[in-house]
Amino acid sequence: MSIDIPEPVEPPVDGALRLCVDNLSVLRGGRRVLDHLSFSLAAGQALIVTGPNGAGKSTLLRALAGLLPRAGGSVALAGGPPDVDLPQQAHYLAHSDGLKSALSVEENLEFWSRYLAQEPDRRSRTVGAALEVVSLSHVAAAPFGVLSAGQKRRAALARLLVAFRPLWLLDEPLTALDRASREKFALAMRDHCALGGLIVAATHEPLGLNEAKELALGSAG
Amino acid sequence: MSSPLAALFLREWRVARRIGGSGAMGVVFFLTLVAIVPFAVGPDPNLLARIGPAILWIAALLATLLCLDRLFQADAEDGSLDLFHLSETPLELAVLVKCAAHWAATGLPLVIAAPFLGLMLQQEAMALLGVVATLLVGTPALTLIGAIGAAATVTVRRGGLLMALLVLPLTIPVLIFGVSAAEAASGGAVPFYAPFAILCAITLAALALCPFAAAAALRYLGE
């Protein structure tokens, strides 16, 4: 006679985060773009959101970042510090870079590292190290406005590295990047997952993350 | 806590002082406005001495509004505004620091330039002092009230004119008490301190209320 012993539930280890999205619905302009969407993502995992234009990829990312009101459902990052909201643990990178043309690349990143990482975290990189990762050290002192489109995107990606936040919300992160930069960024994303981070990326192109989960949003309707 | 705000102040200050920023533009606009008034009203020294404080105040008001329309729009366009929402620093504090940096870069130069322009308008020493004191206390209120308009028109392309329409009526109390205190400084029936104290009160009220109003507008429009 055997008795089924339920597996002991592991208490959440400190730093083992889990992104739980439950029945998320979002309206945009009166249209239900996301309808009762549920998924969950564990620390170290990446989720690739795919789907045709207008399927709600960007809407999902903005809703996760708290930039759009939810019509229903819940979004939570379980296992993190209890007094910190999800948006404050997330990096959001969309089509705009969030960097000022008049300031140098270095000044821009220095600002975001101080503004977005209020608690010092050993997983945050220095501005110099982040620029090294995206191969922009040679233009660190140049005004952001004079960079090429690909270099601007790389500078924006460096923002993710100067202030460690566990959840990366990336909307088409590879736009304008060449092959070498894509490979470097794939490496940075794998590093982030190895540090216990989570990535939700909306993209049409392969990100170079083999073990990533995929969420296909259907066309509208 | 202070480090992110100091970083924000430094960034705003640098952006305002660099090419394309609004730092120097406001002063030049102020200078131009004050310089063309004698062409319109005639070079009568007595008339200029009488209306001088009012001219300086109107010019300072228009120069402040001219520079304010990009206060939040530039951040909305380059995506920084979304990131402010994701920060631990409350949006209200970010608004307040942005206003402080904007005032330091554009309002303070107006206050410094005012006595020199006042000389062109036949102002006596006491009147100059009165104009400088009232502008020093009053221009922060103009910036803060203007920030509400800048936040409310953040999604409107070419929203500068709409912003001026929204904000100008709200600045009337500042203008009334600023000009009457400046005029009282050089003698008159009203003592200097009465309108000056009310001007100080308006600025303090703006300091307490406007960041909340502007942040609320930004939150609402961001969704």
Side-chain angles (χ1 to χ4, degrees):
Chain A
M1 183 178 151
S2 70
I3 301 167
D4 268 341
I5 301 167
E7 274 186 19
V9 180
E10 297 265 341
V13 190
D14 183 45
L17 296 170
R18 188 166 190 84
L19 175 68
C20 304
V21 175
D22 190 32
N23 274 321
L24 176 68
S25 299
V26 179
L27 298 172
R28 291 207 82 173
R31 196 168 67 89
R32 192 169 282 267
V33 178
L34 296 178
D35 196 11
H36 295 98
L37 182 72
S38 298
F39 65 87
S40 77
L41 198 63
Q45 283 188 315
L47 179 73
I48 312 291
V49 184
T50 57
N53 295 134
K57 302 188 294 293
S58 299
T59 302
L60 172 63
L61 291 178
R62 286 186 74 81
L64 290 180
L67 295 168
L68 283 177
R70 295 190 289 270
S74 69
V75 173
L77 197 57
D83 52 340
V84 185
D85 291 341
L86 186 146
Q88 274 119 54
Q89 300 184 66
H91 266 303
Y92 175 69
L93 178 77
H95 311 285
S96 44
D97 301 311
L99 304 174
K100 292 279 176 206
S101 308
L103 303 183
S104 75
V105 178
E106 214 166 15
E107 286 169 336
N108 270 307
L109 292 174
E110 196 73 50
F111 164 69
W112 284 122
S113 80
R114 285 172 67 186
Y115 199 78
L116 291 176
Q118 314 214 329
E119 302 289 323
D121 192 311
R122 63 187 166 74
R123 290 168 292 189
S124 297
R125 294 181 205 231
T126 62
V127 170
L131 285 174
E132 200 114 320
V133 171
V134 295
S135 322
L136 281 182
S137 304
H138 59 297
V139 291
F144 176 71
V146 304
L147 301 188
S148 75
Q151 287 175 323
K152 281 183 176 170
R153 181 95 304 218
R154 272 146 63 189
L157 294 174
R159 168 166 63 78
L160 307 176
L161 304 173
V162 295
F164 181 83
R165 290 185 161 207
L167 177 60
W168 285 7
L169 303 169
L170 311 173
D171 198 350
E172 295 290 351
L174 301 182
T175 313
L177 289 187
D178 57 23
R179 183 193 289 271
S181 307
R182 285 175 187 215
E183 280 164 11
K184 276 190 181 139
F185 183 57
L187 208 61
M189 285 194 290
R190 281 199 287 271
D191 280 351
H192 180 68
C193 288
L195 286 171
L198 302 88
I199 297 175
V200 180
T203 183
H204 291 290
E205 297 160 76
L207 283 180
L209 294 172
N210 300 328
E211 60 279 18
K213 298 208 287 181
E214 191 172 324
L215 173 73
L217 293 177
S219 60
Chain B
M1 189 59 197
S2 67
S3 172
L5 296 179
L8 179 61
F9 186 93
L10 190 66
R11 174 180 101 133
E12 295 299 315
W13 171 261
R14 280 175 174 157
V15 168
R17 302 304 299 175
R18 301 255 161 106
I19 298 168
S22 57
M25 297 273 274
V27 186
V28 175
F29 184 71
F30 186 56
L31 176 97
T32 315
L33 269 183
V34 173
I36 61 171
V37 168
F39 290 105
V41 302
D44 176 15
N46 294 329
L47 178 66
L48 286 179
R50 194 160 55 78
I51 63 172
I55 294 170
L56 288 168
W57 256 95
I58 291 174
L61 170 62
L62 295 179
T64 305
L65 288 189
L66 179 79
C67 300
L68 265 175
D69 64 326
R70 299 280 298 163
L71 185 62
F72 299 115
Q73 206 166 33
D75 282 334
E77 279 166 13
D78 67 21
S80 309
L81 202 57
D82 284 341
L83 302 180
F84 288 150
H85 287 291
L86 268 67
S87 170
E88 284 166 350
T89 307
L91 197 56
E92 287 79 5
L93 274 180
V95 168
L96 189 62
V97 169
K98 276 182 75 75
C99 287
H102 188 270
W103 179 79
T106 64
L108 201 55
L110 299 185
V111 178
I112 294 166
F116 300 102
L117 297 177
L119 285 176
M120 289 166 54
L121 297 171
Q122 293 288 326
Q123 299 295 300
E124 293 161 8
M126 278 315 283
L128 286 180
L129 212 59
V131 167
V132 171
T134 51
L135 283 180
L136 187 63
V137 170
T139 44
L142 297 180
T143 302
L144 286 161
I145 294 170
I148 302 177
T153 56
V154 71
T155 53
V156 183
R157 209 164 266 282
R158 321 283 302 164
L161 193 61
L162 178 62
M163 186 208 119
L165 285 176
L166 287 174
V167 167
L168 274 174
L170 298 176
T171 58
I172 289 171
V174 184
L175 195 64
I176 290 174
F177 291 103
V179 173
S180 53
E183 283 177 344
S186 58
V190 192
F192 172 71
Y193 293 106
F196 189 71
I198 298 179
L199 184 66
C200 293
I202 293 175
T203 300
L204 289 176
L207 200 61
L209 299 176
C210 291
F212 289 96
L218 289 176
R219 282 214 179 86
Y220 179 74
L221 291 169
E223 285 170 356

